Amino acid sequence: MDQEHEPARTKVVPMQSESLLLTDLYELSMLEAYAAHGMTEPATFELFVRKLPPARGFLMAAGLEQLVEFLETLRFTPEELAWLGEHGNFSRAFLRTLADLRFTGDVDAMPEGTVFFPDEPIVRVTAPLPEAQLIETRLINLVHFQTVIASKAAHMVLAAPGKQLVDFGLRRAHGAEAGLLAARASYLAGFAGTATVLASRAFGIPMTGTMAHSFIQAHDSEELAFDRFAHVRPQALTLLIDTYDTERAAAIVARLAPRLAAEGITVGAVRLDSGDLGAHARKVRGILDAAGQQAIRIFASGGLDEHALAKLCGEGAPIDGFGVGTSLSTSADAPALDCAYKLQEYAGRPRRKRSEGKATWPGRKQVFRRHSPDGRIAGDAIVLEGEPGAGEPLLRPAMRQGRRVGDFPTLTAARAHAAAALAQLPEPLRRLRPAPVPVEISPGIRELAARADRMVS
């Protein structure tokens, strides 16, 4: 190509998920207007979900740890401010104020793993208006995504009680960060592990995996492939048996297992990845049991979601665990929530959005949860902060004056909290076609909304 006809080349900038430029332009535009008029008084914003997706009777909060980490390290670098000065059309005076910007506010939130319902604030931020405004985009980005995935994973855990569930979703996730955080969110919700290696390093999640069909195809026989893999990777050994003929491969494993056992190598499981998983599992179980290999488990994968899991488990398919990929890491049936981060109070006055279909309840709020005598969730009430409520308060301090409160729960502790939350679900909410739980709005909130409406000129 002639030099004069070559397209203009742009500098490639690597993705930086920690950069404050990872935001919407309107956040910075509003900050400049706030700065110009001295609007820095305390503001309260709340993140909530307006309505549930059709197949969800509840959602599970996740992502708070990453949000707190983001807020603790929030700052613009000199290079970012220089770039904004060149390309953002912002005044130099405004950019100078951004150089010293840090998050100094308070965060109250539902602990990760908490089950919640529509209109309930899951994160409440109180900070000087510019700080509370600036964090909107990344806050939603972090909390929304992990909440989507944790909620999907929680429904799968309920659909396959007692089964080992493993995240296989990285390759179909919408980006590297999404795949990594999906592994974290699914483990939080009750999955047993992940195939994503970096998730194990980053979060301490158990990693597990088998082999691809290509490994089998690269050998001249399945038996040779199984034998070689077993000798190189003898720990937690799982063999993939559906490359050619599933039942024939199961018979090969049944013959090979005693010889490997004599060498101290145990075949832990076989994996099915195609066809009628229930029918194949029954035949494979029969083949293995007839050969005295009752201890070899059956693991299945391939296009599974909570409905497929419920069907296989309901039919009694002899499958001990499942690998779930695309439907988990993309939450294929409900990939996004109707969530919002809205201003509820500024400068000591209630603020309320009244847009058709998107009206909000003003004021700083708390959520109280009531339980029935058997410990199951009976209902929630949203009240103003300081207003009396019956039951357990769900929003808890996470940050004060820009610093996290105490020792943050570990992922293991959050996972235990999630398991306890799922155990508290009433039977109608454990179904794939759930019935809703009542959420009450307190009289104090309704009165404050009426007052906020009268205040608008």
Side-chain angles (χ1 to χ4, degrees), residues 245-427:
D245 182 303
T246 300
E247 285 72 36
R248 178 178 175 276
I252 293 173
V253 172
R255 292 198 309 270
L256 185 62
R259 178 161 59 84
L260 291 174
E263 301 177 54
I265 299 173
T266 300
V267 179
V270 294
R271 176 181 160 209
L272 311 175
D273 191 53
S274 58
D276 186 331
L277 295 175
H280 282 306
R282 291 182 181 88
K283 293 176 182 177
V284 168
R285 184 76 274 157
I287 292 168
L288 294 175
D289 289 354
Q293 299 298 324
Q294 292 88 350
I296 296 179
R297 302 165 69 246
I298 297 176
F299 189 84
S301 57
L304 298 171
D305 62 12
E306 61 266 44
H307 298 282
L309 295 176
K311 184 173 185 295
L312 287 165
C313 293
E315 293 172 349
I319 300 175
D320 302 287
F322 300 92
V324 188
T326 305
S327 68
L328 172 68
S329 62
T330 67
S331 186
D333 66 321
L337 301 173
D338 184 8
C339 68
Y341 176 80
K342 294 301 179 185
L343 179 66
Q344 313 292 38
E345 180 182 294
Y346 175 60
R349 299 177 63 183
R351 309 288 167 161
R352 183 186 186 215
K353 181 178 177 180
R354 292 190 295 177
S355 304
E356 185 177 352
K358 294 185 176 181
T360 61
W361 295 109
R364 303 185 195 188
K365 293 180 282 296
Q366 176 61 273
V367 182
F368 282 92
R369 172 157 297 162
R370 293 178 293 102
H371 293 86
S372 57
D374 64 358
R376 301 297 178 92
I377 297 172
D380 288 359
I382 306 174
V383 306
L384 292 175
E385 185 182 32
E387 191 178 10
E392 173 192 8
L394 299 186
L395 289 171
R396 302 175 188 174
M399 298 184 78
R400 288 293 181 265
Q401 298 180 346
R403 297 184 179 183
R404 68 177 64 198
V405 174
D407 294 328
F408 225 65
T410 64
L411 182 55
T412 299
R415 176 178 160 86
H417 179 71
L422 293 182
Q424 292 174 357
L425 289 174
E427 189 58 37

Side-chain angles (χ1 to χ4, degrees), residues 144-298:
H144 167 266
F145 177 73
Q146 286 201 63
T147 296
V148 166
I149 303 303
S151 302
K152 179 72 169 179
H155 285 77
M156 292 180 178
V157 169
L158 292 174
K163 304 295 184 179
Q164 178 194 36
L165 299 180
V166 177
D167 155 47
F168 276 12
L170 175 61
R171 63 187 58 191
R172 300 290 175 81
H174 296 166
E177 183 183 61
L180 190 63
L181 294 180
R184 181 186 186 276
S186 59
Y187 184 68
L188 164 72
F191 270 49
T194 180
T196 301
V197 177
L198 184 57
S200 182
R201 180 186 179 190
F203 307 120
I205 302 172
M207 60 179 176
T208 184
T210 55
M211 59 178 68
H213 292 289
S214 56
F215 185 85
I216 306 297
Q217 293 171 278
H219 291 80
D220 292 334
S221 74
E222 283 183 293
E223 184 166 355
L224 179 61
F226 294 156
D227 184 75
R228 285 182 170 176
F229 192 82
H231 281 88
V232 173
R233 302 290 298 171
Q235 302 300 319
L237 177 61
T238 299
L239 300 174
L240 180 63
I241 63 172
D242 72 327
T243 303
Y244 305 119
D245 182 303
T246 300
E247 285 72 36
R248 178 178 175 276
I252 293 173
V253 172
R255 292 198 309 270
L256 185 62
R259 178 161 59 84
L260 291 174
E263 301 177 54
I265 299 173
T266 300
V267 179
V270 294
R271 176 181 160 209
L272 311 175
D273 191 53
S274 58
D276 186 331
L277 295 175
H280 282 306
R282 291 182 181 88
K283 293 176 182 177
V284 168
R285 184 76 274 157
I287 292 168
L288 294 175
D289 289 354
Q293 299 298 324
Q294 292 88 350
I296 296 179
R297 302 165 69 246
I298 297 176

Side-chain angles (χ1 to χ4, degrees), residues 23 37 43 47 73 86 110 131 140 153 190 228 291 294 313 375 415:
T23 191
H37 296 281
L47 176 68
T73 58
E86 295 173 8
M110 292 186 185
E131 298 174 23
I140 295 175
R228 285 182 170 176
Q294 292 88 350
C313 293
R415 176 178 160 86

